[in-house]
Amino acid sequence: MKVLVTGGAGYVGSHVAVDLLEKNFEVIILDNFVNSSRFVLDNIKVITGKNVIAYNVDLLDKGALNEVFEKNKIDVVIHCAGHKSVGESVNYPLKYYDNNLISTINLCNVMNDHHVHKLIFSSSAVVYGIPESLPLTENSPLNALNPYGKTKYMLEKILIDLSLSNPLWKIVLLRYFNPVGAHPSGLIGENPTGIPDNLLPIIAKVADEEMDELLVFGGDYDTPDGTGIRDYIHVSDLAKGHVHALESIDAFQKFKIFNLGTGRGYSVLEVINNFEAVSGKTIPYRIVSRRPGDMAVSYADATKAARELNWVATKDIYDMCHDAWNWKQNSKGIDKVF
C-alpha cells in the first residue's frame, strides 16, 4: 500500500512516516519545508533503513499537488500538514484560515479527481475548548477558542460533510491531545524556532540554558499542586495511532473520530520534576498570572481508540521527558524541525 503523508518532514509527520516504513508500507512525503528541515528525510532513512520518496510541494499549489498524484498510485493519505501555533493564529487569523482550510480542500479535490478516497486527518483536542466535564470523549461538546482550533473544527465539519456526500469516502479524524517527546533514536523530534508555544520544548531550552527560566501560567488552579494539568502523549505512541487507523480504515463506514491521548493528565510541576530527573538539570521557573482561555484540567477518554483501533498509549511522562532531552542533546545546531 502506498501512503502519502502531508507534512511528512514535520514533527508528527516524520514519526508517522517512520512507523509506516517499519510496517512495510510504501511512503511518499509531501512537505513545503517552511517549518521543517530536509535532514529529517536522511534521518528517517537512517532509522528505518528504507528510502522514502519526497516532494517539495505546498498544498496551496493545486497544480503541483496534482502532479504528485499523477506520478504515483496513491492508496491513502495521512494529512498532517498545516499551521499549528495557537498564539500565532490569534495574531494572524487569516494566515491560518487561508492555509489550513484551502490546502485541505485542495487536497480533497485532487484526491477525488484521482479516485483516492481514504483519508486520515490530524485534528486536535483544541476543538473541545474548555471542558464541561472530564474525561473528554469524542461526543463531548466542541467549542474551539482560537483561530487554530477553529480551523480544525471547520475542517472536521467539511470532511464529515464530504464523507456523507459520497459512500466511497472513508475518513478518520484523529484528535491529538498534547504530543511531546521524540523518537528514541534521538534522530527526529521537535525543535521549534524562537520561543516555543509548547511546554516540553521550553523546558528543554531552559535545561540547556538557552532560556533563563520557565514561566508557569497559573499556580492557583483547583489541582493538587495548583498548576494546570494536561494529557501529554508521546509522539511515537501518537504515530502508532495513525498506523492502527490505517490498518482499520477499510472496516469503517463514512467517517470515524478518535481521541489519541493517554487518558490521564500531568501537571506542569510534575512535568518539570520528571524532566529534572532525566536531565540532571535544575529547571528554574516562575509562577505568573493565568493566561486568558487556559483551563485547569484537560485529559482524554481514549477507550474508543482502544476498542476500535486496538491502540493504547504505552509511554509515560518519564519516557516523554527522557526522549525529549535525548533529542535536545542530539539536535544542537539544527535551525528548524517541527
Side-chain angles (χ1 to χ4, degrees), residues 133-196:
S133 62
L134 291 167
L136 287 161
T137 75
E138 288 82 358
N139 294 320
S140 293
L142 305 183
N143 185 28
L145 300 175
N146 53 71
Y148 165 65
K150 290 173 183 176
T151 65
K152 292 297 187 183
Y153 171 84
M154 292 175 185
L155 287 170
E156 283 196 7
K157 296 303 182 186
I158 289 169
L159 294 174
I160 289 170
D161 285 345
L162 179 60
S163 71
L164 294 173
S165 73
N166 184 336
L168 292 175
W169 282 96
K170 292 179 182 290
I171 297 175
V172 178
L173 310 176
L174 300 179
R175 290 176 180 162
Y176 305 172
F177 276 68
N178 297 272
V180 296
H183 193 271
S185 67
L187 293 174
I188 56 174
E190 183 179 26
N191 185 28
T193 54
I195 299 175

Side-chain angles (χ1 to χ4, degrees), residues 260-282:
L260 295 186
T262 64
R264 68 149 294 177
Y266 299 94
S267 74
V268 176
L269 294 187
E270 283 182 287
V271 177
I272 292 172
N273 291 338
N274 276 274
F275 208 97
E276 288 182 335
V278 301
S279 66
K281 304 281 188 176
T282 298

Side-chain angles (χ1 to χ4, degrees), residues 263-321:
R264 68 149 294 177
Y266 299 94
S267 74
V268 176
L269 294 187
E270 283 182 287
V271 177
I272 292 172
N273 291 338
N274 276 274
F275 208 97
E276 288 182 335
V278 301
S279 66
K281 304 281 188 176
T282 298
I283 310 297
Y285 68 88
R286 178 162 50 97
I287 295 176
V288 297
S289 300
R290 301 182 188 185
R291 292 177 298 191
D294 273 356
M295 62 201 81
V297 183
S298 176
Y299 61 92
D301 178 338
T303 55
K304 183 179 178 184
R307 184 176 64 250
E308 298 187 28
L309 298 180
N310 193 32
W311 172 89
V312 292
T314 61
K315 296 178 182 291
D316 62 17
I317 193 63
Y318 186 91
D319 300 321
M320 301 176 209
C321 291

Side-chain angles (χ1 to χ4, degrees), residues 86-87 130 196-199 202 215-218 221 230 268 288-295:
V86 170
I130 298 175
D197 276 348
N198 301 324
L199 179 62
I202 296 175
L215 298 182
V216 178
F217 295 99
Y221 286 110
R230 298 291 182 271
V268 176
V288 297
S289 300
R290 301 182 188 185
R291 292 177 298 191
D294 273 356
M295 62 201 81

Side-chain angles (χ1 to χ4, degrees), residues 17-18 21-22 24 41-52 183 187:
V18 164
L21 290 164
E22 289 179 340
N24 295 318
L41 305 177
D42 296 329
N43 281 2
I44 288 173
K45 183 177 180 180
V46 172
I47 294 168
T48 65
K50 297 177 181 179
N51 290 315
V52 61
H183 193 271
L187 293 174

